[in-house]
Amino acid sequence: MKDFGQSLLGLWKHLGLNQRVSLGVAFVAVIGALTALVIWSRQPDMQLLYGRLSEKDSAAIISQLQAQGIQHKIANGGSTVYVQSDAVYKLRMDLAAKGIPTGEGVGFEIFDKGQFGLSDFVQRTNYLRALQGELARTINQLEGVRSARVMIVQPENRLLLTDSGVKPTASVFVELSKSRLETEAVNAIRNLVANAVQGLTTDMVAVVDHKGRVLSEELKQDPLLSSASSQMRYKQQLEEYLSKKVEGMLIPVLGAGQVVVRVSAEIDNESTTQTQERYDPDGQVVRNQTVTEDTSNSTEAKAQGATGVSANTPGGAAAGAENATPSSSTETNRKTQTTAYEINRTLTNVVRNPGAVRNISAAVFVAQRFTPVPAGAAADARPTANPRTPEEITALRQIVMNALGVRPAAGQTPESLVSLQEVPFNVEMVSDKIASIQSETRIQSWMEVGRGYFAVGLALVLFLMFLKMLKKQKPEAVPVELLSAPSESQQRGSMQINTGSLTPEMLNELIKQKPDNVSTALREWVNIKKAT
């Protein structure tokens, strides 16, 4: 080991200034890389404990970690906390038992402790606070939402005065972690809040982001389609549904990327009410019938005798009575019948809401079919086009019409409803885009894999460079120097070296005088001998 150190020291003395600076820089770089690698490898494996925390929750968590003496790391302005990987799950359970984090508001844990003597107003207020807190915690779990606050307004519960026109409303404020929230996420928030509050509808839930944009304004459902935005949204949804319906039938048969379908729908946006009243005289029926029958009898007595005074005297009256004839009777019958008929009457009320489909047309592009290259063909051989027959085109058009549920009316042809054409698709741009996406994904995966081994590789590269530079460095040629006053034998030895002869006595003398230069002188002498 001592000889090795002396040889390195002697080699260092023989190097020039540039060589010494290069070796020094390389040595410092290797030592620095190895030191950084050791420090990095000795660092603990930190894993995410909680993310997207509020300042209050972050302060509470850090206070608990400091009290327990647990090593932690803070990132993203205090909203993210990292701890050692072997203590993540235990800490989460311990903090959850203490109610940390609260999740931007109090939840139903407000009722865990019994509180006696509270009024009904305080109880309802606590319930509303708990409901708002639970909804905010749930919304925070959505992708793209950093934090959320929910405000619910319910009508006052009165016993005597009730206003049926007052309904609950809600407002949701979301802080986004990206530029904009997707429409599906906004609808999810509206439906989540509406189904959690009794009597609340989705149109009464307003969603506002941290930039002051009302995200739910364009999603309100208009039952009468009175606004232009509602009409266009309904038309777009219908056309998109029909297009996907047709593509879902053709793609399994023709292949992915082999068909393009666009549907155009004509929507009736007018609301009409039609009332129709019809009578059928042939369908009459008896509604009621009244029969009235009258019978009358009358009897009349007629007297016969002489007229005058004698007939009117008592004596004369008796004589006249003997000559009286029997009386006459009269009988009268009358019958009346009244019949009322009901005519068949039909009353029809038809209310047509907007949204009815007047007409549907579709445009379909089908990729051109190619015959595959046979096995054993030339390298530059390309597949040949194999156009579809008119019968196949007609069959595909009929399938599309059946999927859309359209039938040609009088004077219409199937081609006017569904335009289906077979055209060659430009797949170069698509393939190039797919290749670029795949290459980017591959590069990212390589970067993720190589990130962990970058420090080790850098240290190894620097060390190899140091060894390579060390091998390339050769000591400068130093002639064999004798004493300042050379003797006759020394002069003769010098001549003998030049002529190629070297005696043991001369070698011993050289080693005693200049031990550092002996190896160089001998190497040069050997090279000279080989050359001669």
Side-chain angles (χ1 to χ4, degrees):
M1 189 67 183
K2 183 178 180 181
D3 296 339
F4 180 73
Q6 290 179 356
S7 61
L8 288 179
L9 182 60
L11 180 62
W12 178 261
K13 292 180 180 179
H14 297 158
L15 296 178
L17 180 60
N18 295 334
Q19 296 171 346
R20 292 182 180 182
V21 171
S22 300
L23 287 178
V25 172
F27 180 76
V28 172
V30 171
I31 296 300
L34 292 176
T35 305
L37 178 62
V38 171
I39 295 174
W40 175 76
S41 61
R42 294 178 62 88
Q43 289 182 353
D45 183 15
M46 306 298 286
Q47 190 173 348
L48 178 66
L49 178 64
Y50 285 109
R52 298 187 299 178
L53 294 171
S54 63
E55 296 181 356
K56 181 180 179 181
D57 291 338
S58 179
I61 292 174
I62 294 173
S63 176
Q64 292 291 330
L65 295 178
Q66 291 177 350
Q68 300 180 16
I70 299 175
Q71 184 179 2
H72 60 278
K73 184 176 68 174
I74 305 172
N76 297 331
S79 62
T80 305
V81 179
Y82 293 90
V83 296
Q84 296 184 8
S85 58
D86 55 350
V88 171
Y89 302 105
K90 183 177 181 302
L91 285 175
R92 286 179 180 176
M93 290 186 291
D94 294 342
L95 293 175
K98 298 178 181 179
I100 303 173
T102 59
E104 288 290 344
V106 66
F108 280 106
E109 65 272 6
I110 192 175
F111 297 105
D112 292 343
K113 297 181 181 179
Q115 297 178 356
F116 299 98
L118 297 180
S119 63
D120 181 66
F121 174 78
V122 176
Q123 290 286 5
R124 287 189 286 106
T125 303
N126 289 338
Y127 173 76
L128 193 61
R129 289 178 57 198
L131 183 60
Q132 294 175 164
E134 294 293 338
L135 289 174
R137 294 176 182 178
T138 307
I139 296 173
N140 286 338
Q141 304 302 318
L142 294 178
E143 182 180 1
V145 178
R146 181 174 300 169
S147 63
R149 291 181 62 88
V150 180
M151 287 73 72
I152 300 175
V153 179
Q154 288 184 331
E156 186 177 356
N157 186 14
R158 297 183 179 181
L159 297 177
L160 300 178
L161 300 178
T162 58
D163 188 357
S164 59
V166 179
K167 296 182 179 180
T169 58
S171 301
V172 181
F173 175 81
V174 291
E175 183 181 358
L176 306 181
S177 59
K178 53 184 181 180
S179 60
R180 192 169 184 86
L181 195 62
E182 299 295 335
T183 305
E184 292 78 4
V186 178
N187 274 328
I189 294 174
R190 296 169 67 235
N191 285 276
L192 177 67
V193 177
N195 286 277
V197 181
Q198 182 180 5
L200 183 61
T201 60
T202 55
D203 290 340
M204 302 304 294
V205 180
V207 182
V208 183
D209 65 356
H210 64 285
K211 294 184 179 180
R213 296 175 299 189
V214 182
L215 305 180
S216 59
E217 185 65 25
E218 298 180 355
L219 302 178
K220 290 185 177 180
Q221 299 293 333
D222 190 353
L224 299 179
L225 296 178
S226 58
S227 62
S229 60
S230 300
Q231 297 174 6
M232 293 300 297
R233 184 171 63 252
Y234 175 73
K235 185 176 184 295
Q236 181 181 2
Q237 292 175 354
L238 178 62
E239 292 176 350
E240 184 178 358
Y241 164 74
L242 295 176
S243 299
K244 290 183 178 179
K245 183 179 180 182
V246 176
E247 288 181 353
M249 292 185 60
L250 298 180
I251 287 178
V253 179
L254 302 178
Q258 300 296 314
V259 61
V260 177
V261 180
R262 293 295 182 268
V263 177
S264 177
E266 184 180 354
I267 308 299
D268 186 4
N269 297 321
E270 296 180 356
S271 177
T272 58
T273 302
Q274 183 179 0
T275 302
Q276 185 179 8
E277 187 175 3
R278 300 179 59 183
Y279 293 92
D280 186 10
D282 297 333
Q284 61 182 357
V285 294
V286 177
R287 183 177 182 180
N288 53 47
Q289 186 176 16
T290 304
V291 179
T292 304
E293 185 176 358
D294 296 333
T295 303
S296 60
N297 296 322
S298 61
T299 303
E300 182 180 0
K302 296 182 179 180
Q304 295 181 357
T307 59
V309 178
S310 59
N312 294 321
T313 59
E322 295 178 354
N323 297 326
T325 60
S327 60
S328 62
S329 62
T330 304
E331 182 177 357
T332 303
N333 294 326
R334 186 177 62 181
K335 185 177 182 180
T336 304
Q337 181 177 353
T338 303
T339 304
Y341 294 92
E342 187 71 28
I343 300 176
N344 188 12
R345 173 174 172 264
T346 302
L347 181 62
T348 305
N349 291 326
V350 179
V351 178
R352 295 181 179 178
N353 292 324
V357 180
R358 292 181 179 178
N359 188 21
I360 295 178
S361 60
V364 182
F365 280 150
V366 179
Q368 192 174 8
R369 186 171 53 185
F370 291 91
T371 303
V373 179
D380 57 349
R382 295 184 178 181
T384 57
N386 184 15
R388 292 178 174 83
T389 61
E391 290 77 11
E392 292 178 341
I393 297 296
T394 304
L396 290 175
R397 182 181 291 108
Q398 187 63 38
I399 290 174
V400 175
M401 293 176 60
N402 293 336
L404 296 176
V406 295
R407 296 290 183 273
Q412 288 184 336
T413 59
E415 290 78 6
S416 62
L417 296 178
V418 177
S419 176
L420 193 146
Q421 295 182 7
E422 183 182 12
V423 295
F425 281 13
N426 186 6
V427 297
E428 295 181 357
M429 297 180 60
V430 178
S431 61
D432 294 342
K433 186 175 182 180
I434 293 175
S436 63
I437 293 175
Q438 291 178 352
S439 62
E440 291 178 359
T441 306
R442 192 180 301 109
I443 292 173
Q444 290 178 358
S445 62
W446 289 349
M447 291 178 62
E448 291 293 336
V449 174
R451 185 179 299 173
Y453 302 96
F454 176 74
V456 179
L458 181 61
L460 292 176
V461 169
L462 293 176
F463 185 72
L464 293 175
M465 291 176 61
F466 175 74
L467 292 179
K468 188 174 181 180
M469 294 174 62
L470 187 61
K471 290 181 179 179
K472 288 183 178 180
Q473 301 299 328
K474 295 182 178 180
E476 297 178 355
V478 180
V480 178
E481 299 179 356
L482 302 178
L483 297 175
S484 59
S487 61
E488 181 180 357
S489 61
Q490 292 172 350
Q491 293 177 358
R492 184 172 62 252
S494 176
M495 294 298 294
Q496 291 175 353
I497 292 176
N498 294 333
T499 57
S501 62
L502 181 63
T503 62
E505 293 78 6
M506 187 178 297
L507 181 60
N508 292 330
E509 189 68 22
L510 291 174
I511 293 174
K512 292 179 181 180
Q513 294 179 5
K514 294 290 185 179
D516 296 336
N517 297 335
V518 172
S519 60
T520 304
L522 290 176
R523 190 181 300 109
E524 290 182 355
W525 179 75
V526 172
N527 294 333
I528 293 172
K529 289 289 289 182
K530 291 181 178 179
T532 57

